[in-house]
Amino acid sequence: MERESWLPAAPESAPLARSIVRESATRSGLDRDAVWDLMLATTEAVANAVEHGSACGESGQILLRVLSCGEVLYVEVCDCGDDGGALAEFDPENPGPANFESTAGRGLPIIAAVVDLMEVRPGAGETRVRFGKRVLAA
């Protein structure tokens, strides 16, 4: 299963992204807690793409992709920015604590905390955050 949706690069896209992920995750057989975790991670990824990324094309959109690969349901959020700074240094395996006084910088650590797998790929003309939950056999 793969679902791809272009969404406006605006905060109002978060509820639509959550709805798409909820529907796909439920259909894939994820339990309620795992669905909630993916929805939370999606909200954070969309917020990061909107706030820190660059919209794609003249229509100003970001890409949401949901795909099932074997026993993992993946969600990808892509924008057309080239963030070689903080994202290039982020390590999903060891996100480290957020600065207590900071009002930003918690999105990626939140995603890393609630998913089973995560990768961040900043690159030439695209930044992709990909995360997933394992689908447990019933």
Side-chain angles (χ1 to χ4, degrees):
M1 163 193 40
E2 183 168 337
R3 182 163 180 186
E4 192 172 282
S5 301
W6 286 94
L7 306 173
E12 297 78 22
S13 291
L16 178 56
R18 282 192 303 269
S19 176
I20 291 167
V21 168
R22 179 180 56 239
E23 179 183 319
S24 295
T26 301
R27 213 175 316 132
S28 291
L30 287 171
D31 67 31
R32 203 169 114 187
D33 290 340
V35 172
W36 175 257
D37 288 345
L38 276 182
M39 289 170 50
L40 173 60
T42 299
T43 300
E44 293 296 333
V46 168
N48 281 348
V50 169
E51 186 173 345
H52 305 293
S54 296
C56 300
E58 292 180 26
S59 59
Q61 296 183 320
I62 58 174
L63 176 61
L64 173 72
R65 200 179 275 134
V66 182
L67 53 144
S68 179
C69 296
E71 60 189 40
V72 180
L73 183 69
Y74 286 102
V75 177
E76 291 182 353
V77 177
C78 306
D79 67 71
C80 290
D82 183 10
D83 187 342
L87 285 181
E89 297 172 9
F90 181 76
D91 179 6
E93 298 297 318
N94 186 18
N99 181 334
F100 182 72
E101 308 248 338
S102 177
T103 59
R106 290 181 172 82
L108 292 177
I110 288 171
I111 295 169
V114 300
V115 300
D116 297 326
L117 305 161
M118 178 183 178
E119 67 180 342
V120 178
R121 290 196 174 175
E126 179 184 82
T127 297
R128 178 185 326 172
V129 177
R130 183 181 198 197
F131 48 90
K133 291 292 267 188
R134 288 186 181 87
V135 180
L136 302 175

